[in-house]
């Protein structure tokens, strides 16, 4: 019996203290031609008042629509719905669009059903950039790399509840014109 | 916290508990390592219900989220395979993280009975989109079979 306890204790110590290389936590998302939702489709909830992550767009994320009026439709990167709200009521997300031959990043929120967009910056393809949304009692603070935060006023909703995560989605109105790939690594 | 105590007492009366179980352990998630305390009742059929409290172990707090995070809530566990020494349970924890975020975590736990009073368990669960692992020791108090 003592031997069994010793073996179990040693196993537990090894399990929780062993040194090992840091795991690659990048998740690769694939936007298929003709579809809006990226795969894999994930279900998670926000568990902290700060959502920070790295994202990288590859060359496939350039696109030109024949109908140019759709070129400034925002594609969703990552964010969350606010406390017990559906995302078209209250939510905060980073979005992206290939516009003016560059990758533009926006803050994109629904506040009491009203959509609010604010330009944040431009990023390069194939490069890792840091994104952060901080949830404060009265605002969503969006930060790209070391730039100053962009603030969007938050509606007074509940304070305790479910905040479901919103994953990459192409559109807007039109689906992906060709296959695209992007990677996201959430910082915990 | 008051709610948890009320839920626990209420649960005790409705399940006609046989054993009060206390457990302590650690859970390693993709984000950090958490200490874990659980208290509940286990019925004759090894069904459990109770409350738990978990918080970050200081040494492992992330630089990106440098605050002391904790969560508490209720759990329930049902046996999916039983033997005299080893049992496997499906467990569900639901709680509130940092008094704000509702978190629901399914897990699978294997428990090895070391003695009448003591058991050790290992569990794997799904936390923050990645597998998490935990190890715990469980003490059975007021075990009716031992009275």
């Amino acid at each position: 019996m003592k031997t069994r306890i010793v073996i179990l204790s040693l196993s537990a110590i090894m399990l929780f203290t062993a040194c090992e290389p840091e795991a690659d936590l990048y998740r690769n998302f694939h936007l298929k031609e003709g579809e809006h939702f990226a795969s894999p489709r994930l279900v998670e909830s926000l568990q902290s008042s700060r959502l920070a992550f790295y994202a990288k767009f590859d060359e496939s994320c350039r696109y030109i629509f024949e109908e140019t009026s759709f070129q400034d439709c925002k594609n969703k990167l990552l964010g969350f719905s606010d406390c017990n709200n559906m995302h078209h009521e209250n939510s905060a997300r980073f979005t992206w669009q290939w516009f003016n031959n560059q990758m533009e990043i926006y803050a994109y929120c629904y506040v009491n059903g009203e959509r609010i967009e604010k330009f944040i910056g431009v990023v390069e393809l194939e490069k890792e950039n840091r994104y952060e949304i901080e949830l404060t009692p009265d605002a969503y603070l969006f930060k790209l790399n070391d730039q100053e935060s962009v603030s969007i006023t938050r509606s007074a909703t509940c304070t305790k509840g479910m905040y479901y995560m919103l994953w990459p989605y192409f559109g807007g109105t039109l689906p992906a014109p060709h296959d695209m790939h992007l990677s996201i690594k959430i910082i915990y | 916290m008051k709610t948890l105590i009320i839920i626990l007492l209420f649960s005790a009366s409705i399940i006609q508990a046989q054993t009060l179980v206390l457990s302590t352990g650690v859970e390693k998630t993709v984000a950090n390592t958490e200490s874990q305390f659980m208290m509940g009742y286990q019925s004759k059929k090894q069904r459990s219900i109770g409350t738990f409290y978990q918080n970050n172990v200081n040494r492992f707090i992330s630089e990106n989220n440098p605050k002391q995070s904790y969560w508490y809530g209720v759990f329930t566990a049902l046996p999916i395979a039983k033997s005299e020494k080893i049992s496997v349970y499906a467990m569900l924890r639901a709680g509130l993280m940092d008094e704000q975020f509702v978190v629901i975590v399914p897990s699978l736990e294997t428990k090895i009975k070391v003695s009448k009073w003591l058991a050790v368990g290992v569990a794997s669960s799904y936390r923050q989109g990645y597998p998490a692992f935990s190890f715990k020791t469980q003490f059975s108090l007021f075990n009716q079979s031992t009275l």
Side-chain angles (χ1 to χ4, degrees):
Chain A
M1 189 63 73
K2 278 182 183 174
T3 314
R4 193 183 296 170
I5 294 172
V6 169
I7 290 169
L8 284 168
S9 304
L10 285 174
S11 307
I13 289 166
M14 286 174 71
L15 179 65
F16 291 104
T17 61
C19 292
E20 56 185 59
E22 196 175 335
D24 179 9
L25 297 178
Y26 260 108
R27 285 169 164 151
N28 298 311
F29 291 92
H30 185 194
L31 288 155
K32 284 184 186 162
E33 181 181 350
E35 292 187 8
H36 288 288
F37 285 100
S39 63
R41 290 180 69 170
L42 304 170
V43 178
E44 274 177 47
S45 65
L46 188 72
Q47 299 182 17
S48 161
S49 57
R50 183 187 300 175
L51 173 63
F53 62 95
Y54 290 103
K56 194 161 61 177
F57 299 94
D58 76 8
E59 289 287 340
S60 67
C61 293
R62 295 171 192 263
Y63 60 91
I64 303 287
F65 286 125
E66 286 180 16
E67 186 79 44
T68 52
S69 60
F70 290 117
Q71 196 66 36
D72 64 349
C73 286
K74 308 294 180 290
N75 308 305
K76 283 69 183 181
L77 182 59
L78 193 65
F80 54 87
S81 73
D82 210 328
C83 185
N84 293 341
N85 276 241
M86 298 303 287
H87 59 274
H88 282 156
E89 273 301 311
N90 287 285
S91 63
R93 279 179 280 188
F94 276 101
T95 57
W96 57 280
Q97 63 182 20
W98 184 257
F99 198 76
N100 291 330
N101 209 31
Q102 59 186 6
M103 183 60 80
E104 297 180 343
I105 304 297
Y106 281 77
Y108 183 97
C109 295
Y110 279 96
V111 178
N112 289 331
E114 183 193 350
R115 194 170 70 204
I116 300 169
E117 301 174 2
K118 282 189 182 176
F119 177 73
I120 294 182
V122 172
V123 297
E124 288 182 46
L125 298 178
E126 305 287 0
K127 287 208 171 163
E128 185 182 79
N129 290 279
R130 190 181 193 278
Y131 302 76
E132 184 181 308
I133 307 175
E134 191 173 347
L135 186 66
T136 70
D138 50 11
Y140 306 108
L141 302 177
F142 291 81
K143 197 172 179 187
L144 174 62
N145 297 321
D146 295 326
Q147 296 180 15
E148 271 198 28
S149 297
V150 170
S151 172
I152 292 182
T153 304
R154 182 185 174 204
S155 165
T157 62
C158 61
T159 52
K160 294 177 183 176
M162 180 68 81
Y163 299 66
Y164 63 86
M165 298 270 289
L166 298 166
W167 297 96
Y169 178 95
F170 193 91
T173 311
L174 298 180
H178 56 256
D179 287 5
M180 299 181 194
H181 301 94
L182 55 97
S183 313
I184 293 174
K185 179 173 77 173
I186 295 178
I187 305 165
Y188 293 103
Chain B
M1 195 54 81
K2 278 181 191 170
T3 316
L4 290 181
I5 293 167
I6 291 167
I7 291 170
L8 189 65
L9 293 174
F10 179 70
S11 330
S13 62
I14 58 169
I15 64 171
Q16 297 179 325
Q18 296 300 304
T19 309
L20 173 66
V21 288
L22 297 175
S23 73
T24 178
V26 286
E27 181 168 36
K28 179 139 180 66
T29 72
V30 67
N32 48 45
T33 300
E34 297 175 359
S35 56
Q36 180 187 70
F37 304 94
M38 299 177 109
M39 180 170 73
Y41 290 101
Q42 191 173 62
S43 73
K44 265 184 186 171
K45 292 180 176 175
Q46 295 189 32
R47 293 175 184 162
S48 305
I49 189 167
T51 63
F52 69 89
Y53 174 86
Q54 293 186 214
N55 69 343
N56 283 357
V57 177
N58 278 337
R59 190 159 74 87
F60 297 101
I61 287 179
S62 157
E63 286 178 25
N64 294 302
N65 272 319
K67 65 175 183 178
Q68 184 70 29
S69 194
Y70 64 95
W71 67 304
Y72 61 86
V74 293
F75 73 88
T76 182
L78 297 171
I80 51 178
K82 290 189 281 188
S83 75
E84 197 180 326
K85 287 283 180 190
I86 297 180
S87 298
V88 180
Y89 300 86
M91 181 186 276
L92 192 71
R93 282 172 287 168
L96 202 57
M97 177 152 308
D98 296 336
E99 303 289 348
Q100 186 174 9
F101 304 96
V102 169
V103 179
I104 298 169
V105 177
S107 43
L108 199 63
E109 181 177 285
T110 303
K111 210 178 285 174
I112 302 166
K113 196 173 175 184
V114 178
S115 72
K116 203 175 281 182
W117 306 99
L118 180 69
V120 292
V122 288
S124 58
S125 50
Y126 182 74
R127 297 268 316 263
Q128 294 164 302
Y130 290 94
F133 300 95
S134 62
F135 174 83
K136 69 181 179 188
T137 52
Q138 180 183 291
F139 305 93
S140 302
L141 306 176
F142 312 122
N143 191 331
Q144 202 172 64
S145 63
T146 64
L147 292 175

